Amino acid sequence: MFSLLAISLSLLLQSPFGFVRADVQPFNSYPNDFVDPTYIVAGKFSNATTGAQQSIISWAESISAYGPWSVTDKPFNAPSGDPKDYVSWAPYWWPNCTGVGNTTELTPQQIWVTCPYYQRDGQFNPDRLTVDNIGAFTNLSDAILYNALAYSFQNEPSSSYSQTIAKFVDAWFLNNATGMNPNLNYAQMERGPNGQVGSHTGVLDLKGMAKVVSGILILRQRNCTDWTEALDTQMIAWTNQYINWLETNKLGIDECASLNNHGSFCFNQLTSLKLLVNDVQGSINSSNTYFKGIYQGQINSTGDQPFEATRTHPYHYRNYNLAAMITNARILKYADPTSNPWNLTTKYGATIQDALNMVMTVDPNASDEEYAVAEIFPNIAAVASTYGDPDGKYVAFLQKAFPEYPWDGDFLWDQPLAGNPGSTDAGSNSTTGTTGTKDASGASAVKALTPLTLIVALIFGIGAVLL
Ligand SMILES: *[C@@H]1O[C@H](CO)[C@@H](O)[C@H](O)[C@H]1NC(C)=O
Ligand SMILES: *[C@@H]1O[C@H](CO)[C@@H](O)[C@H](O)[C@H]1NC(C)=O
Ligand SMILES: *[C@@H]1O[C@H](CO)[C@@H](O)[C@H](O)[C@H]1NC(C)=O
Ligand SMILES: *[C@@H]1O[C@H](CO)[C@@H](O)[C@H](O)[C@H]1NC(C)=O
Ligand SMILES: *[C@@H]1O[C@H](CO)[C@@H](O)[C@H](O)[C@H]1NC(C)=O
Ligand SMILES: *[C@@H]1O[C@H](CO)[C@@H](O)[C@H](O)[C@H]1NC(C)=O
Ligand SMILES: *[C@@H]1O[C@H](CO)[C@@H](O)[C@H](O)[C@H]1NC(C)=O
Ligand SMILES: *[C@@H]1O[C@H](CO)[C@@H](O)[C@H](O)[C@H]1NC(C)=O
Ligand SMILES: *[C@@H]1O[C@H](CO)[C@@H](O)[C@H](O)[C@H]1NC(C)=O
Ligand SMILES: *[C@@H]1O[C@H](CO)[C@@H](O)[C@H](O)[C@H]1NC(C)=O
Ligand SMILES: *[C@@H]1O[C@H](CO)[C@@H](O)[C@H](O)[C@H]1NC(C)=O
């Protein structure tokens, strides 16, 4: 107990703002990202990323407490009757029972199959969470990413973080009793008398595959002993079946052909999963299909995103698709280091950077999206670290709107990026030196801070996630 206290105390004392602030940020689930495993495995993190590393360790531990997850954990099965089929309900669809007679007599189960459903864009039907396979997968994808990063901070072939990943991957994907069937036939099901089948929009539910792949590639490249040959072989087999479904089932084909964020996120899955199965050329091909295809129409000459600007939550959707475009660019850059996705222009002559610059001029309040303010922060960090920030406008924006950004997890991989005034090498591009938190004592110290983190999370936590 004494030693734990001493460690916490020393950690606080060496933290840039002493006792004034928490060392970790509230849990953050980014809409999507792909974290270059080679950069992580090299482990040459600037001292400025110490706070981000502490947040990541804390996030790995907090999100893992909800796992393991399985699609079989739901109150009813898909119409197939197979508990291993993934299920979610179309979030913006509502029943209209006026035409079906005695509505007061209908149980919820009868409403699902009796009343016609119709769409109200942007308005969640609260009963969508009756089945929460989607929440489970989102948490799983964060757990795999953050545990893999936490594992990478330790110089060990095995750790509790990588053991957790092995356990979670088995439960969700591979285990004979609980593993998900490799398809999304019942994702975002539209209910009603003619419904009970998935819609292509449901493919979006698994966009976090890019995080899953990042995590697994890190374990693989680090020769993690918990990521066994058997796990790797089974995961590749599962993924090959799922890729086949994505590329041949009408739902997958239609989703990747969607002109808006749905298409962009669909390619996040396809291109990252092909890396998982070691089909690098296939991944590059799919990236090219994206960048020569739907990307061409996604950013116009004023930097706006026509297919997102017209939605009910335009600030959210612009940032959402930006996250997907950034993820597609990161995956292609990793798969083919000679490629230059950041400079690829749409048919209107615009780049991803132009899209971000435009969103930076938008006031989220103008569309009553005050809740979505934070969605731009990881996009700014990604663009600043990729294109550079010669006039300091990205850092200035972050310092004003989100001064804690060097403690946010993505600061680890969105480098170089100026920030962290308390660090010995604030704002430098230094790639030398590692940090004092890459060991078990750092992890313990962070655990000791968790109650404070929870309070901060309760105060500042942003729960709203739109689809
Ligand atoms: C609900 O159903 C009634 C009767 O079938 C129909 O007249 C009405 O237009 C429907 N409303 C909506 C919003 O679909
Ligand atoms: C409608 O509900 C009432 C009250 O429960 C019941 O008496 C009546 O038989 C029902 N009518 C039909 C057509 O189902
Ligand atoms: C997912 O994690 C959030 C916290 O980030 C939690 O509120 C939620 O209950 C979790 N859901 C599942 C299904 O694990
Ligand atoms: C997997 O489960 C199925 C039934 O769901 C059973 O028929 C099969 O034998 C099981 N396979 C293994 C390897 O346990
Ligand atoms: C992993 O193993 C391979 C093959 O033995 C080796 O070349 C590589 O350096 C190892 N990577 C790490 C990070 O230890
Ligand atoms: C990639 O695309 C090229 C050119 O279209 C094609 O010849 C090749 O077979 C594709 N390779 C894979 C692995 O998809
Ligand atoms: C770009 O798209 C936005 C949103 O649809 C639109 O308001 C704007 O006029 C477009 N700009 C051009 C030059 O077409
Ligand atoms: C947005 O509105 C909130 C209050 O609803 C206010 O606190 C905030 O300053 C506003 N932001 C801008 C940029 O006007
Ligand atoms: C864009 O292309 C130019 C010229 O090839 C290159 O110098 C620059 O680094 C590229 N920008 C990015 C963000 O890759
Ligand atoms: C990083 O921090 C360590 C430990 O505090 C220190 O020894 C090292 O000099 C620092 N590196 C740089 C580049 O500041
Ligand atoms: C980071 O590196 C870039 C390119 O090498 C340089 O232009 C920039 O000034 C550096 N930033 C800092 C803060 O040293």
Side-chain angles (χ1 to χ4, degrees), residues 37-376:
T38 307
Y39 166 72
I40 298 299
V41 170
K44 294 185 170 154
F45 307 123
S46 136
N47 277 12
T49 66
T50 308
Q53 292 181 40
Q54 288 171 13
S55 295
I56 286 167
I57 291 168
S58 164
W59 297 353
E61 294 177 358
S62 65
I63 198 67
S64 297
Y66 293 95
W69 300 270
S70 163
V71 289
T72 58
D73 185 14
K74 54 184 178 299
F76 50 83
N77 290 333
S80 62
D82 187 340
K84 292 163 71 177
D85 276 334
Y86 177 98
V87 173
S88 67
W89 282 338
Y92 298 152
W93 288 70
W94 296 71
N96 175 5
C97 297
T98 49
V100 300
N102 228 353
T103 58
T104 54
E105 292 297 294
L106 296 176
T107 64
Q109 287 78 3
Q110 289 169 325
I111 290 175
W112 302 343
V113 296
T114 309
C115 303
Y117 276 65
Y118 67 103
Q119 190 179 21
R120 297 186 197 165
D121 186 31
Q123 293 186 42
F124 283 118
N125 183 335
D127 84 352
R128 77 193 186 282
L129 293 179
T130 307
V131 49
D132 197 20
N133 282 177
I134 181 175
F137 182 80
T138 301
N139 287 0
L140 170 79
S141 63
D142 284 326
I144 292 176
L145 175 62
Y146 294 138
N147 275 287
L149 294 170
Y151 163 78
S152 81
F153 302 151
Q154 302 177 315
N155 288 315
E156 303 293 338
S158 166
S159 82
S160 62
Y161 301 116
S162 49
Q163 287 160 16
T164 296
I165 294 174
K167 189 172 74 178
F168 287 176
V169 165
D170 180 71
W172 182 273
F173 295 103
L174 307 175
N175 187 281
N176 195 40
T178 61
M180 174 186 163
N181 291 328
N183 69 68
L184 287 174
N185 292 333
Y186 303 102
Q188 293 200 11
M189 268 171 54
E190 284 166 23
R191 289 169 283 171
N194 308 314
Q196 320 313 318
V197 290
S199 46
H200 71 77
T201 53
V203 173
L204 181 70
D205 287 10
L206 296 203
K207 63 184 185 300
M209 282 293 191
K211 298 179 186 174
V212 170
V213 173
S214 300
I216 292 177
L217 293 185
I218 289 168
L219 298 195
R220 228 190 235 166
Q221 291 190 18
R222 271 285 305 273
N223 302 324
C224 172
T225 52
D226 298 311
W227 188 253
T228 61
E229 198 66 38
L231 269 179
D232 200 52
T233 306
Q234 291 177 65
M235 191 62 200
I236 287 174
W238 189 99
T239 303
N240 273 321
Q241 292 180 63
Y242 179 69
I243 289 172
N244 182 58
W245 182 90
L246 265 182
E247 294 195 311
T248 59
N249 187 283
K250 187 172 186 320
L251 299 176
I253 292 170
D254 288 353
E255 184 71 349
C256 277
S258 301
L259 300 176
N260 65 4
N261 68 83
H262 278 268
S264 312
F265 281 116
C266 186
F267 278 99
N268 286 179
Q269 289 195 54
L270 207 48
T271 55
S272 61
L273 289 167
K274 287 186 178 181
L275 294 176
L276 181 74
V277 301
N278 301 311
D279 180 10
V280 176
Q281 188 54 50
S283 172
I284 294 168
N285 278 12
S286 294
S287 289
N288 289 335
T289 304
Y290 168 74
F291 281 108
K292 289 179 179 157
I294 60 171
Y295 172 72
Q296 288 298 310
Q298 289 187 329
I299 311 164
N300 73 14
S301 61
T302 45
D304 205 352
Q305 301 172 62
F307 302 113
E308 314 303 333
T310 53
R311 297 289 298 268
T312 47
H313 303 284
Y315 191 79
H316 157 70
Y317 279 112
R318 285 183 181 111
N319 279 298
Y320 201 48
N321 191 49
L322 253 173
M325 294 192 292
I326 286 167
T327 301
N328 278 329
R330 291 209 215 253
I331 293 169
L332 176 54
K333 188 71 190 169
Y334 172 72
D336 178 7
T338 68
S339 69
N340 205 343
W342 304 106
N343 273 344
L344 290 179
T345 52
T346 64
K347 67 181 174 192
Y348 306 107
T351 64
I352 290 171
Q353 184 177 29
D354 295 325
L356 176 83
N357 290 344
M358 188 276 161
V359 182
M360 283 171 70
T361 67
V362 175
D363 177 4
N365 284 10
S367 48
D368 292 328
E369 293 183 273
E370 196 196 329
Y371 70 89
V373 164
E375 293 183 26
I376 198 172

